[in-house]
């Protein structure tokens, strides 16, 4: 299958090329030329598959230029690092199903995609006899998951930007205590949006991108979104096995990537009733869905820092479909955003959005309250991001629907917030034991494109 740009100004490329490019050379994001549509009979067959088997069946529809045996091996090796045989198990607590996405090596949902992406990079670099300098931005979890996906691997350097002192302490330690020679952590004195904008500008600098063979691990890389599509199918099968119907997925998100994976699953024919987009005070996406207001504001620091984002990079992919796959409309929208700080939508477009999505903004008081009340009712500890999704589901999902809430991180990663809410410090899993005593390495720089570009030039392969 070939891949096209949301901005329509490049020739179609293969899946392998899409993985290696990350961002299209015209500044757009890559998407498959078509979304496969699945029959009810196929869904019945897939219901019986293990997670790894399901991942193979789904990803092979899109990665048509990777031999089947190679793809199976890549998938099996990627999920061998998880501590639960189901990879993304589903539990039932207090009237909601919780899809646990934190059983990978860094205890966050990003592992599901980035363990696979790291292995894909290694496979393709070896095949091509090439080297790569990965550059990415993180609001907390992407960075550590990406680092663990490629640490120590040959022919790869990784540079991860995170906002200085604006992640949780555990998130920062998970990145900076990985001291492999190919890992470079950059703490930028700014916001996640500053970091993300710098990364995108470096990829848009085509001579720089080509000279240093830049690779993308942020959710601008289509392979990341594709890997996340799998767990929507897996969770739907587990819950409908138990008689659930009229499924609503509640997704805490700031960058639109995780919920966009659910949107792709729905376009493929997975019977999802609604996608519930849950935000914190950084609620540009909620304002878009509920009020038609996609306008940039200031980033607010919260107890759910991975969602402290204003400019959602994967939103462009959704616009491509909202605009009937018209790349000129996408280009015009982002010109409008650059000039005015907002994108305007017609009433017909907003009606289509609301047919597909619900949304709720959950503030910090509500988040901590939800952690406390949910724990009191069930004994189950929610991390603050998952609590945002649970609260939104409790408020918006109708009684005749079954909510599946995505648990995006282990509560121990945000122990201060959990302890503030419940009075209980979540127990540290083995993966975090002694992490605060490990040696660390990180450089602190201004959120300045030139300074960060110079650092990458100095350290690049």
């Amino acid at each position: 299958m070939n891949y096209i740009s949301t901005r329509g100004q490049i020739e179609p490329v293969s899946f392998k090329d899409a993985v290696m490019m990350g961002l299209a050379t015209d500044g757009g994001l890559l998407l498959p030329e078509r979304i496969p549509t699945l029959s009810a009979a196929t869904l019945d067959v897939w219901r019986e598959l293990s997670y790894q088997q399901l991942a193979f069946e789904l990803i092979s529809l899109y990665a048509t230029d990777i031999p089947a045996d190679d793809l199976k091996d890549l998938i099996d090796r990627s999920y061998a690092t998880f501590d639960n045989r189901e990879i993304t198990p589903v539990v039932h607590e207090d009237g909601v199903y919780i899809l646990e996405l934190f059983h990978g090596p860094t205890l966050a949902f990003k592992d599901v995609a980035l363990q696979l992406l790291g292995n894909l990079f290694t496979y393709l670099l070896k095949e091509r006899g090439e080297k790569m300098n990965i550059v990415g931005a993180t609001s907390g979890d992407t960075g550590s998951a990406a680092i663990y996906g490629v640490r120590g691997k040959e022919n790869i350097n990784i540079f991860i930007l995170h906002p200085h002192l604006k992640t949780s302490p555990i998130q920062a330690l998970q990145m900076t205590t990985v001291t492999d020679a190919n890992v470079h952590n950059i703490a930028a004195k700014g916001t996640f949006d500053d970091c993300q904008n710098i990364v995108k500008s470096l990829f848009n600098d085509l001579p720089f991108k080509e000279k240093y063979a830049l690779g993308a691990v942020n959710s601008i890389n289509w392979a990341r979104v594709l890997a996340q599509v799998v767990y929507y199918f897996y969770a739907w099968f587990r819950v409908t096995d138990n008689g659930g119907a009229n499924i609503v997925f509640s997704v805490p998100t700031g960058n639109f990537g995780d919920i966009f994976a659910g949107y792709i699953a729905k376009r493929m024919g997975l019977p999802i009733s609604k996608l519930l987009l849950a935000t914190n005070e950084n609620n540009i996406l909620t304002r878009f869905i509920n009020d038609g207001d996609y306008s940039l504001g200031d980033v607010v620091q919260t107890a759910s820092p991975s969602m402290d984002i204003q400019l959602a990079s994967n939103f462009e992919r959704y616009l491509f479909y909202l605009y009937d796959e018209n790349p000129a409309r996408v280009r015009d929208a982002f010109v409008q955003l650059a000039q005015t700080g907002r994108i305007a939508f017609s009433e017909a477009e907003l009606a289509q959005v609301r047919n597909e999505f619900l949304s709720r903004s959950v503030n910090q008081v509500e988040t901590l309250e939800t952690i406390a009340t949910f724990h009191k009712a069930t004994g189950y500890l929610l991390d603050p991001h998952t609590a945002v999704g649970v609260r939104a589901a409790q408020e918006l999902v109708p009684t005749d629907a079954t909510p599946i809430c995505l648990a995006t991180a282990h509560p121990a990663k945000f122990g201060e917030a959990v302890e503030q809410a419940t009075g209980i410090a979540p127990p540290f899993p083995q993966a975090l034991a002694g992490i605060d005593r490990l040696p660390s390495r990180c450089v602190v720089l201004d959120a300045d494109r030139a300074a960060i570009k110079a650092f990458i030039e100095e350290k690049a392969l």
Side-chain angles (χ1 to χ4, degrees), residues 31 35 62 225 229 232-233 249 251 256-270 272 275 314 317-325 352-353 356-357:
L31 281 169
I35 303 294
Y62 296 87
V225 176
V229 175
Y232 283 90
F233 281 84
F249 280 92
V251 188
F256 206 82
D258 206 5
I259 201 163
F260 183 74
Y263 175 77
I264 292 295
K266 189 175 181 181
R267 285 185 73 97
M268 290 180 69
L270 189 66
I272 298 172
L275 291 162
N314 266 285
R317 284 189 165 110
Y318 175 66
L319 286 186
F320 181 76
Y321 294 113
L322 182 64
Y323 293 155
D324 296 322
E325 303 182 28
Q352 182 177 334
V353 169
E356 295 165 337
F357 295 95

mmCIF file of all heavy atoms in Angstrom, residues 31 35 62 225 229 232-233 249 251 256-270 272 275 314 317-325 352-353 356-357:
data_model
loop_
_atom_site.group_PDB
_atom_site.id
_atom_site.type_symbol
_atom_site.label_atom_id
_atom_site.label_comp_id
_atom_site.label_asym_id
_atom_site.label_seq_id
_atom_site.Cartn_x
_atom_site.Cartn_y
_atom_site.Cartn_z
ATOM 1 N N LEU A 31 -0.428 9.459 5.230
ATOM 2 C CA LEU A 31 -1.595 8.609 5.448
ATOM 3 C C LEU A 31 -1.685 7.588 4.322
ATOM 4 O O LEU A 31 -1.243 7.851 3.200
ATOM 5 C CB LEU A 31 -2.881 9.446 5.443
ATOM 6 C CG LEU A 31 -3.222 10.230 6.701
ATOM 7 C CD1 LEU A 31 -4.368 11.196 6.424
ATOM 8 C CD2 LEU A 31 -3.602 9.280 7.833
ATOM 9 N N ILE A 35 -8.157 3.347 3.358
ATOM 10 C CA ILE A 35 -8.335 2.641 4.626
ATOM 11 C C ILE A 35 -9.077 1.339 4.332
ATOM 12 O O ILE A 35 -10.206 1.368 3.830
ATOM 13 C CB ILE A 35 -9.140 3.490 5.639
ATOM 14 C CG1 ILE A 35 -8.462 4.834 5.884
ATOM 15 C CG2 ILE A 35 -9.334 2.718 6.942
ATOM 16 C CD1 ILE A 35 -7.125 4.751 6.557
ATOM 17 N N TYR A 62 -1.433 -2.811 5.947
ATOM 18 C CA TYR A 62 -0.826 -1.519 5.615
ATOM 19 C C TYR A 62 0.650 -1.644 5.255
ATOM 20 O O TYR A 62 1.153 -0.882 4.419
ATOM 21 C CB TYR A 62 -0.965 -0.567 6.810
ATOM 22 C CG TYR A 62 -2.380 -0.207 7.159
ATOM 23 C CD1 TYR A 62 -3.139 -0.998 8.023
ATOM 24 C CD2 TYR A 62 -2.981 0.943 6.621
ATOM 25 C CE1 TYR A 62 -4.443 -0.655 8.347
ATOM 26 C CE2 TYR A 62 -4.283 1.284 6.934
ATOM 27 C CZ TYR A 62 -5.015 0.483 7.806
ATOM 28 O OH TYR A 62 -6.309 0.817 8.129
ATOM 29 N N VAL A 225 0.831 5.505 14.912
ATOM 30 C CA VAL A 225 -0.636 5.501 14.938
ATOM 31 C C VAL A 225 -1.152 4.110 14.599
ATOM 32 O O VAL A 225 -2.063 3.581 15.259
ATOM 33 C CB VAL A 225 -1.193 6.552 13.955
ATOM 34 C CG1 VAL A 225 -2.716 6.480 13.900
ATOM 35 C CG2 VAL A 225 -0.749 7.956 14.348
ATOM 36 N N VAL A 229 -3.779 1.414 16.671
ATOM 37 C CA VAL A 229 -5.092 0.973 16.195
ATOM 38 C C VAL A 229 -5.410 -0.419 16.742
ATOM 39 O O VAL A 229 -6.564 -0.735 17.056
ATOM 40 C CB VAL A 229 -5.130 0.980 14.649
ATOM 41 C CG1 VAL A 229 -6.451 0.393 14.129
ATOM 42 C CG2 VAL A 229 -4.942 2.396 14.104
ATOM 43 N N TYR A 232 -7.518 -0.944 20.046
ATOM 44 C CA TYR A 232 -8.962 -0.673 19.982
ATOM 45 C C TYR A 232 -9.713 -1.948 19.591
ATOM 46 O O TYR A 232 -10.752 -2.282 20.179
ATOM 47 C CB TYR A 232 -9.254 0.454 18.996
ATOM 48 C CG TYR A 232 -8.947 1.823 19.537
ATOM 49 C CD1 TYR A 232 -7.681 2.392 19.378
ATOM 50 C CD2 TYR A 232 -9.903 2.548 20.230
ATOM 51 C CE1 TYR A 232 -7.395 3.650 19.883
ATOM 52 C CE2 TYR A 232 -9.625 3.805 20.740
ATOM 53 C CZ TYR A 232 -8.370 4.351 20.563
ATOM 54 O OH TYR A 232 -8.087 5.598 21.079
ATOM 55 N N PHE A 233 -9.203 -2.649 18.588
ATOM 56 C CA PHE A 233 -9.818 -3.921 18.200
ATOM 57 C C PHE A 233 -9.737 -4.922 19.342
ATOM 58 O O PHE A 233 -10.730 -5.601 19.657
ATOM 59 C CB PHE A 233 -9.108 -4.492 16.965
ATOM 60 C CG PHE A 233 -9.520 -3.849 15.671
ATOM 61 C CD1 PHE A 233 -8.926 -2.667 15.245
ATOM 62 C CD2 PHE A 233 -10.504 -4.415 14.873
ATOM 63 C CE1 PHE A 233 -9.306 -2.075 14.051
ATOM 64 C CE2 PHE A 233 -10.886 -3.833 13.675
ATOM 65 C CZ PHE A 233 -10.289 -2.654 13.258
ATOM 66 N N PHE A 249 -15.402 4.576 23.465
ATOM 67 C CA PHE A 249 -14.033 4.649 23.977
ATOM 68 C C PHE A 249 -13.783 6.054 24.513
ATOM 69 O O PHE A 249 -13.986 7.053 23.797
ATOM 70 C CB PHE A 249 -13.015 4.350 22.877
ATOM 71 C CG PHE A 249 -12.827 2.889 22.589
ATOM 72 C CD1 PHE A 249 -13.578 2.264 21.600
ATOM 73 C CD2 PHE A 249 -11.906 2.136 23.297
ATOM 74 C CE1 PHE A 249 -13.409 0.918 21.315
ATOM 75 C CE2 PHE A 249 -11.731 0.788 23.035
ATOM 76 C CZ PHE A 249 -12.481 0.176 22.038
ATOM 77 N N VAL A 251 -10.940 8.578 25.719
ATOM 78 C CA VAL A 251 -9.506 8.672 25.448
ATOM 79 C C VAL A 251 -8.955 9.987 26.001
ATOM 80 O O VAL A 251 -9.270 11.060 25.471
ATOM 81 C CB VAL A 251 -9.224 8.599 23.939
ATOM 82 C CG1 VAL A 251 -7.711 8.502 23.681
ATOM 83 C CG2 VAL A 251 -9.966 7.427 23.298
ATOM 84 N N PHE A 256 -3.986 14.347 20.008
ATOM 85 C CA PHE A 256 -4.950 13.762 19.077
ATOM 86 C C PHE A 256 -4.474 12.457 18.450
ATOM 87 O O PHE A 256 -5.195 11.831 17.686
ATOM 88 C CB PHE A 256 -5.324 14.766 17.967
ATOM 89 C CG PHE A 256 -6.693 14.543 17.367
ATOM 90 C CD1 PHE A 256 -7.816 15.016 17.999
ATOM 91 C CD2 PHE A 256 -6.855 13.839 16.184
ATOM 92 C CE1 PHE A 256 -9.085 14.803 17.459
ATOM 93 C CE2 PHE A 256 -8.107 13.617 15.633
ATOM 94 C CZ PHE A 256 -9.216 14.105 16.275
ATOM 95 N N GLY A 257 -3.270 11.979 18.776
ATOM 96 C CA GLY A 257 -2.767 10.772 18.147
ATOM 97 C C GLY A 257 -3.480 9.522 18.605
ATOM 98 O O GLY A 257 -3.874 8.678 17.789
ATOM 99 N N ASP A 258 -3.666 9.369 19.920
ATOM 100 C CA ASP A 258 -4.280 8.157 20.448
ATOM 101 C C ASP A 258 -5.730 8.044 20.007
ATOM 102 O O ASP A 258 -6.199 6.972 19.617
ATOM 103 C CB ASP A 258 -4.178 8.157 21.979
ATOM 104 C CG ASP A 258 -4.183 6.750 22.561
ATOM 105 O OD1 ASP A 258 -4.167 5.781 21.785
ATOM 106 O OD2 ASP A 258 -4.191 6.631 23.797
ATOM 107 N N ILE A 259 -6.452 9.127 20.028
ATOM 108 C CA ILE A 259 -7.854 9.061 19.608
ATOM 109 C C ILE A 259 -7.979 8.957 18.091
ATOM 110 O O ILE A 259 -8.922 8.363 17.572
ATOM 111 C CB ILE A 259 -8.664 10.246 20.168
ATOM 112 C CG1 ILE A 259 -10.168 9.911 20.167
ATOM 113 C CG2 ILE A 259 -8.368 11.536 19.407
ATOM 114 C CD1 ILE A 259 -11.004 10.801 21.051
ATOM 115 N N PHE A 260 -6.977 9.472 17.356
ATOM 116 C CA PHE A 260 -7.007 9.304 15.911
ATOM 117 C C PHE A 260 -6.856 7.830 15.542
ATOM 118 O O PHE A 260 -7.457 7.364 14.558
ATOM 119 C CB PHE A 260 -5.919 10.138 15.235
ATOM 120 C CG PHE A 260 -5.948 10.057 13.742
ATOM 121 C CD1 PHE A 260 -6.933 10.713 13.023
ATOM 122 C CD2 PHE A 260 -5.014 9.295 13.049
ATOM 123 C CE1 PHE A 260 -6.991 10.623 11.636
ATOM 124 C CE2 PHE A 260 -5.050 9.197 11.670
ATOM 125 C CZ PHE A 260 -6.043 9.859 10.956
ATOM 126 N N ALA A 261 -6.081 7.081 16.325
ATOM 127 C CA ALA A 261 -5.987 5.639 16.091
ATOM 128 C C ALA A 261 -7.366 4.991 16.237
ATOM 129 O O ALA A 261 -7.727 4.090 15.460
ATOM 130 C CB ALA A 261 -4.996 5.015 17.067
ATOM 131 N N GLY A 262 -8.156 5.438 17.214
ATOM 132 C CA GLY A 262 -9.517 4.938 17.360
ATOM 133 C C GLY A 262 -10.392 5.316 16.178
ATOM 134 O O GLY A 262 -11.256 4.543 15.735
ATOM 135 N N TYR A 263 -10.183 6.514 15.657
ATOM 136 C CA TYR A 263 -10.930 6.967 14.477
ATOM 137 C C TYR A 263 -10.623 6.073 13.281
ATOM 138 O O TYR A 263 -11.523 5.704 12.519
ATOM 139 C CB TYR A 263 -10.571 8.420 14.195
ATOM 140 C CG TYR A 263 -11.164 8.985 12.931
ATOM 141 C CD1 TYR A 263 -12.506 9.359 12.885
ATOM 142 C CD2 TYR A 263 -10.393 9.150 11.788
ATOM 143 C CE1 TYR A 263 -13.061 9.886 11.724
ATOM 144 C CE2 TYR A 263 -10.932 9.674 10.631
ATOM 145 C CZ TYR A 263 -12.266 10.033 10.597
ATOM 146 O OH TYR A 263 -12.813 10.546 9.441
ATOM 147 N N ILE A 264 -9.347 5.699 13.102
ATOM 148 C CA ILE A 264 -8.982 4.790 12.018
ATOM 149 C C ILE A 264 -9.639 3.434 12.220
ATOM 150 O O ILE A 264 -10.158 2.821 11.266
ATOM 151 C CB ILE A 264 -7.452 4.648 11.925
ATOM 152 C CG1 ILE A 264 -6.816 5.970 11.468
ATOM 153 C CG2 ILE A 264 -7.063 3.520 10.962
ATOM 154 C CD1 ILE A 264 -7.183 6.411 10.071
ATOM 155 N N ALA A 265 -9.644 2.934 13.456
ATOM 156 C CA ALA A 265 -10.308 1.657 13.739
ATOM 157 C C ALA A 265 -11.784 1.713 13.342
ATOM 158 O O ALA A 265 -12.323 0.773 12.740
ATOM 159 C CB ALA A 265 -10.163 1.304 15.217
ATOM 160 N N LYS A 266 -12.420 2.826 13.656
ATOM 161 C CA LYS A 266 -13.834 2.983 13.306
ATOM 162 C C LYS A 266 -14.024 3.032 11.791
ATOM 163 O O LYS A 266 -14.958 2.426 11.250
ATOM 164 C CB LYS A 266 -14.389 4.248 13.967
ATOM 165 C CG LYS A 266 -15.898 4.397 13.841
ATOM 166 C CD LYS A 266 -16.397 5.608 14.615
ATOM 167 C CE LYS A 266 -17.923 5.714 14.487
ATOM 168 N NZ LYS A 266 -18.460 6.884 15.208
ATOM 169 N N ARG A 267 -13.139 3.736 11.087
ATOM 170 C CA ARG A 267 -13.231 3.797 9.623
ATOM 171 C C ARG A 267 -13.015 2.418 8.999
ATOM 172 O O ARG A 267 -13.514 2.133 7.902
ATOM 173 C CB ARG A 267 -12.214 4.787 9.054
ATOM 174 C CG ARG A 267 -12.594 6.245 9.249
ATOM 175 C CD ARG A 267 -11.591 7.158 8.535
ATOM 176 N NE ARG A 267 -11.757 7.122 7.086
ATOM 177 C CZ ARG A 267 -12.451 8.018 6.377
ATOM 178 N NH1 ARG A 267 -13.059 9.032 6.983
ATOM 179 N NH2 ARG A 267 -12.534 7.919 5.067
ATOM 180 N N MET A 268 -12.246 1.569 9.678
ATOM 181 C CA MET A 268 -12.011 0.220 9.163
ATOM 182 C C MET A 268 -13.223 -0.688 9.358
ATOM 183 O O MET A 268 -13.265 -1.790 8.802
ATOM 184 C CB MET A 268 -10.800 -0.399 9.850
ATOM 185 C CG MET A 268 -9.480 0.226 9.461
ATOM 186 S SD MET A 268 -8.071 -0.538 10.307
ATOM 187 C CE MET A 268 -8.047 -2.164 9.518
ATOM 188 N N GLY A 269 -14.188 -0.248 10.156
ATOM 189 C CA GLY A 269 -15.398 -1.032 10.356
ATOM 190 C C GLY A 269 -15.595 -1.557 11.756
ATOM 191 O O GLY A 269 -16.551 -2.302 12.011
ATOM 192 N N LEU A 270 -14.720 -1.186 12.712
ATOM 193 C CA LEU A 270 -14.937 -1.594 14.089
ATOM 194 C C LEU A 270 -16.168 -0.865 14.627
ATOM 195 O O LEU A 270 -16.236 0.371 14.554
ATOM 196 C CB LEU A 270 -13.722 -1.274 14.946
ATOM 197 C CG LEU A 270 -13.736 -1.842 16.360
ATOM 198 C CD1 LEU A 270 -13.670 -3.367 16.336
ATOM 199 C CD2 LEU A 270 -12.581 -1.284 17.190
ATOM 200 N N ILE A 272 -17.672 1.047 16.740
ATOM 201 C CA ILE A 272 -17.537 1.998 17.848
ATOM 202 C C ILE A 272 -18.679 2.990 17.738
ATOM 203 O O ILE A 272 -18.863 3.617 16.688
ATOM 204 C CB ILE A 272 -16.190 2.731 17.789
ATOM 205 C CG1 ILE A 272 -15.018 1.747 17.914
ATOM 206 C CG2 ILE A 272 -16.107 3.801 18.874
ATOM 207 C CD1 ILE A 272 -13.653 2.382 17.677
ATOM 208 N N LEU A 275 -16.419 8.159 19.963
ATOM 209 C CA LEU A 275 -15.108 8.378 20.556
ATOM 210 C C LEU A 275 -15.219 9.597 21.461
ATOM 211 O O LEU A 275 -15.618 10.676 21.007
ATOM 212 C CB LEU A 275 -14.058 8.612 19.477
ATOM 213 C CG LEU A 275 -13.727 7.388 18.618
ATOM 214 C CD1 LEU A 275 -13.033 7.805 17.326
ATOM 215 C CD2 LEU A 275 -12.857 6.408 19.394
ATOM 216 N N ASN A 314 -1.505 15.642 15.426
ATOM 217 C CA ASN A 314 -2.263 14.684 14.611
ATOM 218 C C ASN A 314 -3.616 15.207 14.146
ATOM 219 O O ASN A 314 -4.299 14.549 13.366
ATOM 220 C CB ASN A 314 -2.452 13.380 15.388
ATOM 221 C CG ASN A 314 -1.370 12.379 15.043
ATOM 222 O OD1 ASN A 314 -1.384 11.773 13.980
ATOM 223 N ND2 ASN A 314 -0.416 12.253 15.934
ATOM 224 N N ARG A 317 -4.223 15.148 10.416
ATOM 225 C CA ARG A 317 -4.693 13.919 9.765
ATOM 226 C C ARG A 317 -6.220 13.835 9.789
ATOM 227 O O ARG A 317 -6.852 13.437 8.797
ATOM 228 C CB ARG A 317 -4.090 12.696 10.458
ATOM 229 C CG ARG A 317 -2.627 12.440 10.107
ATOM 230 C CD ARG A 317 -2.155 11.108 10.653
ATOM 231 N NE ARG A 317 -0.900 10.711 10.038
ATOM 232 C CZ ARG A 317 0.273 10.680 10.665
ATOM 233 N NH1 ARG A 317 0.345 11.039 11.943
ATOM 234 N NH2 ARG A 317 1.353 10.303 10.035
ATOM 235 N N TYR A 318 -6.822 14.204 10.907
ATOM 236 C CA TYR A 318 -8.283 14.173 10.967
ATOM 237 C C TYR A 318 -8.892 15.201 10.004
ATOM 238 O O TYR A 318 -9.895 14.912 9.327
ATOM 239 C CB TYR A 318 -8.772 14.436 12.394
ATOM 240 C CG TYR A 318 -10.280 14.516 12.458
ATOM 241 C CD1 TYR A 318 -11.068 13.398 12.197
ATOM 242 C CD2 TYR A 318 -10.924 15.724 12.734
ATOM 243 C CE1 TYR A 318 -12.445 13.467 12.227
ATOM 244 C CE2 TYR A 318 -12.304 15.805 12.757
ATOM 245 C CZ TYR A 318 -13.066 14.672 12.501
ATOM 246 O OH TYR A 318 -14.431 14.755 12.499
ATOM 247 N N LEU A 319 -8.283 16.383 9.916
ATOM 248 C CA LEU A 319 -8.803 17.399 8.992
ATOM 249 C C LEU A 319 -8.827 16.885 7.556
ATOM 250 O O LEU A 319 -9.728 17.222 6.779
ATOM 251 C CB LEU A 319 -7.967 18.674 9.074
ATOM 252 C CG LEU A 319 -8.152 19.552 10.314
ATOM 253 C CD1 LEU A 319 -7.357 20.842 10.157
ATOM 254 C CD2 LEU A 319 -9.615 19.868 10.573
ATOM 255 N N PHE A 320 -7.829 16.095 7.187
ATOM 256 C CA PHE A 320 -7.786 15.542 5.830
ATOM 257 C C PHE A 320 -9.081 14.790 5.523
ATOM 258 O O PHE A 320 -9.654 14.935 4.428
ATOM 259 C CB PHE A 320 -6.576 14.619 5.697
ATOM 260 C CG PHE A 320 -6.410 14.002 4.339
ATOM 261 C CD1 PHE A 320 -5.915 14.742 3.284
ATOM 262 C CD2 PHE A 320 -6.738 12.666 4.125
ATOM 263 C CE1 PHE A 320 -5.753 14.168 2.023
ATOM 264 C CE2 PHE A 320 -6.582 12.082 2.877
ATOM 265 C CZ PHE A 320 -6.084 12.839 1.826
ATOM 266 N N TYR A 321 -9.572 14.020 6.472
ATOM 267 C CA TYR A 321 -10.810 13.283 6.255
ATOM 268 C C TYR A 321 -12.034 14.177 6.415
ATOM 269 O O TYR A 321 -13.021 14.034 5.677
ATOM 270 C CB TYR A 321 -10.880 12.087 7.198
ATOM 271 C CG TYR A 321 -9.819 11.054 6.885
ATOM 272 C CD1 TYR A 321 -8.778 10.797 7.769
ATOM 273 C CD2 TYR A 321 -9.849 10.352 5.691
ATOM 274 C CE1 TYR A 321 -7.800 9.862 7.474
ATOM 275 C CE2 TYR A 321 -8.867 9.414 5.381
ATOM 276 C CZ TYR A 321 -7.841 9.184 6.269
ATOM 277 O OH TYR A 321 -6.869 8.263 5.963
ATOM 278 N N LEU A 322 -11.986 15.097 7.373
ATOM 279 C CA LEU A 322 -13.105 16.025 7.546
ATOM 280 C C LEU A 322 -13.321 16.850 6.285
ATOM 281 O O LEU A 322 -14.459 17.174 5.930
ATOM 282 C CB LEU A 322 -12.833 16.951 8.740
ATOM 283 C CG LEU A 322 -13.933 17.952 9.093
ATOM 284 C CD1 LEU A 322 -15.208 17.242 9.531
ATOM 285 C CD2 LEU A 322 -13.451 18.908 10.182
ATOM 286 N N TYR A 323 -12.233 17.179 5.597
ATOM 287 C CA TYR A 323 -12.297 17.963 4.365
ATOM 288 C C TYR A 323 -12.417 17.081 3.123
ATOM 289 O O TYR A 323 -11.998 17.480 2.030
ATOM 290 C CB TYR A 323 -11.066 18.854 4.246
ATOM 291 C CG TYR A 323 -10.954 19.956 5.281
ATOM 292 C CD1 TYR A 323 -9.710 20.483 5.625
ATOM 293 C CD2 TYR A 323 -12.073 20.490 5.918
ATOM 294 C CE1 TYR A 323 -9.584 21.506 6.563
ATOM 295 C CE2 TYR A 323 -11.965 21.495 6.858
ATOM 296 C CZ TYR A 323 -10.719 21.995 7.175
ATOM 297 O OH TYR A 323 -10.593 23.004 8.106
ATOM 298 N N ASP A 324 -12.955 15.894 3.286
ATOM 299 C CA ASP A 324 -13.197 14.982 2.161
ATOM 300 C C ASP A 324 -11.934 14.691 1.369
ATOM 301 O O ASP A 324 -11.943 14.635 0.125
ATOM 302 C CB ASP A 324 -14.284 15.541 1.231
ATOM 303 C CG ASP A 324 -15.635 15.650 1.919
ATOM 304 O OD1 ASP A 324 -15.970 14.745 2.709
ATOM 305 O OD2 ASP A 324 -16.341 16.655 1.684
ATOM 306 N N GLU A 325 -10.813 14.515 2.105
ATOM 307 C CA GLU A 325 -9.526 14.138 1.515
ATOM 308 C C GLU A 325 -9.060 15.153 0.475
ATOM 309 O O GLU A 325 -8.463 14.792 -0.550
ATOM 310 C CB GLU A 325 -9.590 12.714 0.954
ATOM 311 C CG GLU A 325 -9.994 11.688 2.012
ATOM 312 C CD GLU A 325 -10.015 10.254 1.520
ATOM 313 O OE1 GLU A 325 -9.256 9.936 0.587
ATOM 314 O OE2 GLU A 325 -10.796 9.459 2.083
ATOM 315 N N GLN A 352 -20.681 17.000 11.448
ATOM 316 C CA GLN A 352 -19.991 15.729 11.195
ATOM 317 C C GLN A 352 -19.058 15.379 12.347
ATOM 318 O O GLN A 352 -19.007 14.228 12.786
ATOM 319 C CB GLN A 352 -19.192 15.811 9.892
ATOM 320 C CG GLN A 352 -18.477 14.524 9.525
ATOM 321 C CD GLN A 352 -17.751 14.614 8.203
ATOM 322 O OE1 GLN A 352 -18.116 15.406 7.327
ATOM 323 N NE2 GLN A 352 -16.708 13.802 8.037
ATOM 324 N N VAL A 353 -18.332 16.363 12.859
ATOM 325 C CA VAL A 353 -17.437 16.138 14.000
ATOM 326 C C VAL A 353 -18.223 15.595 15.184
ATOM 327 O O VAL A 353 -17.826 14.606 15.833
ATOM 328 C CB VAL A 353 -16.721 17.451 14.386
ATOM 329 C CG1 VAL A 353 -16.011 17.311 15.725
ATOM 330 C CG2 VAL A 353 -15.742 17.879 13.302
ATOM 331 N N GLU A 356 -19.221 12.026 15.329
ATOM 332 C CA GLU A 356 -18.153 11.057 15.571
ATOM 333 C C GLU A 356 -17.557 11.144 16.978
ATOM 334 O O GLU A 356 -17.089 10.145 17.518
ATOM 335 C CB GLU A 356 -17.048 11.254 14.538
ATOM 336 C CG GLU A 356 -17.513 10.936 13.128
ATOM 337 C CD GLU A 356 -16.586 11.450 12.039
ATOM 338 O OE1 GLU A 356 -15.815 12.399 12.293
ATOM 339 O OE2 GLU A 356 -16.653 10.898 10.933
ATOM 340 N N PHE A 357 -17.594 12.351 17.569
ATOM 341 C CA PHE A 357 -16.904 12.575 18.827
ATOM 342 C C PHE A 357 -17.823 13.207 19.871
ATOM 343 O O PHE A 357 -18.693 14.012 19.545
ATOM 344 C CB PHE A 357 -15.712 13.526 18.639
ATOM 345 C CG PHE A 357 -14.619 12.995 17.769
ATOM 346 C CD1 PHE A 357 -14.576 13.318 16.417
ATOM 347 C CD2 PHE A 357 -13.619 12.181 18.292
ATOM 348 C CE1 PHE A 357 -13.563 12.839 15.602
ATOM 349 C CE2 PHE A 357 -12.602 11.700 17.488
ATOM 350 C CZ PHE A 357 -12.569 12.021 16.145
#
